[in-house]
Amino acid sequence: SLATALTSVSLAQDLQGKVIGFSQIGSESGWRAAETSVTKQQAADRGIDLKFADAQQKQENQIKAIRGFIAQGVDAIMVAPVVATGWDDVLTEAKEAEIPVILLDRGVDAPEDLYLTSVASDQVKEGRVAGEWLVAEIGDADCKVVELQGTVGSTPAINRKQGFEEAIAGHDNITIARSQTGDFTRSKGKEVMEGFIKAENGGAYICAVYAHNDDMAVGAIQAIKDAGLKPGTDIKVVSIDAVPDIFAAMAAGEANATVELTPNMAGPAFDALSAYLADGTAPEKFIITESKLYTPADNPQGEYDTRKGLGY
Ligand code: GZL
């Protein structure tokens, strides 16, 4: 419609020509690669000059990149903080340089006045939704769970663990027998799951694997198959992100549940920045994205096809 066309035109104008630095963690997962491609597309659509820095999972590289953006005098900085702590100094430097900072998809343990807004999911809710699915699926049968944690010290790893534990509390038949970080990657998820299987009688004692992201779940699925067991039936698989490959696994009967995480954090971030730079409008401090459960009942092939076109 004309209104939509005008809105999109005005949106493009607001940030046209703005220089925005983006300190991205890396490309540890399919979800993160999608977040990067969606962010670059959003920036191009809005005429933003995006300065992109990949930190290869290292906080010191993120801090260096942010200092570089400050020295360049960018109009704004976006950062996906790999871990929650250690940001106070560099965020204070950005504040002193009067450059607004927006956090994407992870949080920081730092004073809230050091960033304009944080665009992320409710990660405790994601863990709770995953746990509630398992409670409903298992009923009162005994169920030994193994957990593949995200990056140590990251807010998703801390929060998703907390949410899952809240959901299974009071259901003594469901216990977390082993829990270790797979650092959000397929290869580490596979390697850690191989260790869990060896330690649990070839996997015979394991009822379910809860992975903090789909990439580690896909790695775990491979380890389960290598051990001669059936993922999705012998060992239930529940994870978070809703990337295309988890829907492919569901369509093959090898995964049971995922909690959606949109890769489009940049859209809300740019909208908030646009209003702030235009007239100082302060956005919500926390912009929370949706967390929807998907199971094989939700047309996994269709979900795969849809997401394949979304920048994954
Ligand atoms: C969560 C995000 C996580 C994804 C993983 O908001 O930070 O990081 O769930 C990614 O896939 O590695």
Side-chain angles (χ1 to χ4, degrees):
S1 69
L2 180 59
T4 313
L6 285 176
T7 313
S8 59
V9 165
S10 65
L11 205 55
Q13 293 313 315
D14 285 359
L15 294 176
Q16 183 75 32
K18 294 293 182 197
V19 182
I20 299 177
F22 177 24
S23 169
Q24 177 60 297
I25 291 172
S27 53
E28 73 284 355
S29 70
W31 182 88
R32 180 126 341 250
E35 183 191 53
T36 292
S37 60
V38 168
T39 301
K40 288 179 176 176
Q41 187 56 56
Q42 287 272 341
D45 291 351
R46 298 165 188 249
I48 291 166
D49 177 3
L50 189 76
K51 305 293 184 193
F52 181 81
D54 178 318
Q56 278 95 37
Q57 311 292 322
K58 292 185 176 60
Q59 180 175 32
E60 66 263 23
N61 289 345
Q62 292 202 279
I63 291 171
K64 255 186 243 146
I66 293 168
R67 291 201 162 116
F69 295 145
I70 295 170
Q72 283 174 44
V74 298
D75 296 300
I77 293 169
M78 294 194 302
V79 52
V82 60
V83 292
T85 56
W87 300 98
D88 292 45
D89 291 350
V90 73
L91 293 182
T92 301
E93 290 163 33
K95 187 175 177 67
E96 284 164 356
E98 296 181 356
I99 299 174
V101 174
I102 295 183
L103 307 181
L104 293 193
D105 79 76
R106 293 187 187 179
V108 296
D109 295 343
E112 290 180 8
D113 70 332
L114 291 182
Y115 51 92
L116 179 67
T117 184
S118 157
V119 182
S121 54
D122 176 342
Q123 292 153 4
V124 174
K125 178 180 176 187
E126 291 169 331
R128 202 167 39 243
V129 168
E132 286 166 355
W133 171 83
L134 187 66
V135 166
E137 175 76 9
I138 294 299
D140 52 15
D142 283 343
C143 185
K144 206 184 229 192
V145 182
V146 292
E147 180 181 26
L148 294 169
Q149 296 181 31
T151 299
V152 176
S154 68
T155 53
I158 294 161
N159 296 335
R160 289 172 181 174
K161 181 168 191 40
Q162 177 191 330
F164 187 86
E165 287 170 351
E166 284 172 1
I168 67 171
H171 300 274
D172 300 343
N173 57 308
I174 301 177
T175 58
I176 299 175
R178 294 175 189 278
S179 181
Q180 197 179 325
T181 184
D183 212 14
F184 283 130
T185 69
R186 291 187 186 205
S187 55
K188 199 88 175 75
K190 179 173 181 284
E191 185 190 317
V192 172
M193 189 66 188
E194 284 163 352
F196 288 159
I197 287 167
K198 278 198 189 73
E200 294 291 342
N201 190 25
Y205 297 160
I206 300 174
C207 152
V209 53
Y210 166 51
H212 291 184
N213 81 333
D214 292 341
D215 280 64
M216 293 191 290
V218 169
I221 286 167
Q222 190 54 54
I224 293 166
K225 288 159 81 168
D226 293 350
L229 296 170
K230 290 195 202 69
T233 44
D234 295 334
I235 297 179
K236 303 287 183 193
V237 180
V238 52
S239 56
I240 299 164
D241 278 355
V243 299
D245 284 349
I246 205 66
F247 289 108
M250 280 187 193
E254 295 176 350
N256 304 92
T258 188
V259 183
E260 184 176 40
L261 174 70
T262 177
N264 181 14
M265 303 285 177
F270 288 149
D271 289 347
L273 193 58
S274 170
Y276 177 72
L277 292 180
D279 58 17
T281 308
E284 298 279 312
K285 184 58 73 173
F286 296 96
I287 298 171
I288 309 289
T289 62
E290 294 295 306
S291 305
K292 183 172 180 290
L293 179 76
Y294 283 87
T295 70
D298 298 309
N299 178 16
Q301 189 55 52
E303 291 301 333
Y304 175 90
D305 297 340
T306 308
R307 281 169 175 72
K308 257 320 194 191
L310 274 186
Y312 283 98

